[in-house]
């Protein structure tokens, strides 16, 4: 069962097919460079489907971030795991129009807390490109610390280990 989580300003909800056009546009754009992109159509579709399928396979996955006041989709937050991720990874992105307003922080904190208290996941990390300074600052704001010894999907990735709630 895919949860719906709420924060003061946000609704974190299951993905829907109508999320695909904006998701596709982001993954095919230069903004996806820190997520292994830009991706072609097939790659973006595979990621979209994987984000949804992880719920059925692992009891976690991605949730879209909606503005509670307007209903507008702002981005995504998710927990990834499986053969491509050595540990459970907390990840996030926001669309251009949602940058710099604290939405990713609010959504990531809510999903991190759900993962720890409801799913009781033993650990969460965030993998990121060393040049993704904004995500590194967000991970640090969430209380995560750099773990230079952690396994990683890409040897060049930084790994931030999350603690809390």
């Amino acid at each position: 069962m895919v949860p719906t989580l709420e924060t003061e300003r946000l609704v974190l909800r299951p993905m829907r097919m109508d999320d695909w056009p904006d998701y596709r546009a982001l993954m095919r754009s230069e903004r996806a460079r820190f997520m292994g992109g830009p991706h072609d159509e097939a790659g973006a579709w595979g990621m979209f489907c994987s984000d949804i399928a992880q719920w059925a396979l692992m009891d976690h996955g991605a949730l879209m971030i909606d503005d509670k006041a307007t209903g507008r989709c702002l981005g995504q937050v998710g927990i990834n795991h499986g053969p491509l991720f050595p540990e459970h990874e907390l990840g996030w992105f926001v669309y251009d129009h949602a940058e710099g307003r604290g939405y990713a922080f609010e959504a990531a904190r809510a999903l991190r807390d759900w993962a720890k208290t409801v799913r009781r996941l033993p650990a969460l990390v965030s993998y990121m490109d060393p040049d993704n300074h904004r995500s590194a600052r967000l991970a640090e704001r969430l209380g995560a610390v750099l773990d230079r010894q952690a396994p990683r999907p890409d040897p060049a990735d930084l790994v931030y280990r999350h603690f809390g709630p």
Side-chain angles (χ1 to χ4, degrees):
M1 178 158 206
V2 182
T4 297
L5 308 176
E6 292 192 26
T7 70
E8 182 180 332
R9 300 182 297 162
L10 306 174
V11 175
L12 311 181
R13 56 146 178 94
M15 295 172 69
R16 305 183 299 245
M17 193 61 210
D18 65 347
D19 295 317
W20 168 243
D22 289 339
Y23 184 102
R24 174 189 175 274
L26 175 81
M27 292 305 169
R28 293 184 54 118
S29 76
E30 182 59 28
R31 284 179 52 89
R33 72 189 177 281
F34 297 131
M35 296 177 280
H39 301 278
D40 63 13
E41 183 93 6
W45 179 248
M47 292 172 65
F48 187 82
C49 292
S50 174
D51 289 345
I52 296 168
Q54 286 189 71
W55 285 107
L57 297 171
M58 295 178 222
D59 292 328
H60 59 70
L63 298 171
M64 299 310 286
I65 305 166
D66 285 351
D67 182 311
K68 197 182 271 189
T70 66
R72 187 173 189 191
C73 187
L74 306 170
Q76 184 193 75
V77 63
I79 298 171
N80 296 298
H81 197 231
L84 303 179
F85 299 92
E87 296 187 69
H88 291 91
E89 185 219 17
L90 176 64
W92 51 81
F93 68 75
V94 293
Y95 297 123
D96 281 340
H97 66 272
E99 286 278 347
R101 297 188 178 131
Y103 297 132
F105 172 80
E106 192 173 327
R109 182 177 58 195
L111 190 58
R112 177 204 65 195
D113 294 354
W114 174 88
K116 296 278 189 159
T117 60
V118 175
R119 279 284 284 114
R120 301 203 185 286
L121 294 179
L124 286 173
V125 297
S126 291
Y127 304 113
M128 64 191 69
D129 185 290
D131 292 329
N132 193 346
H133 304 294
R134 291 184 80 166
S135 275
R137 283 193 307 271
L138 176 54
E140 291 166 357
R141 190 170 163 220
L142 286 163
V145 297
L146 195 58
D147 182 348
R148 297 189 189 282
Q149 305 307 311
R152 59 205 74 219
D154 180 329
D157 281 348
L158 298 177
V159 181
Y160 280 85
R161 187 160 302 280
H162 293 272
F163 299 96

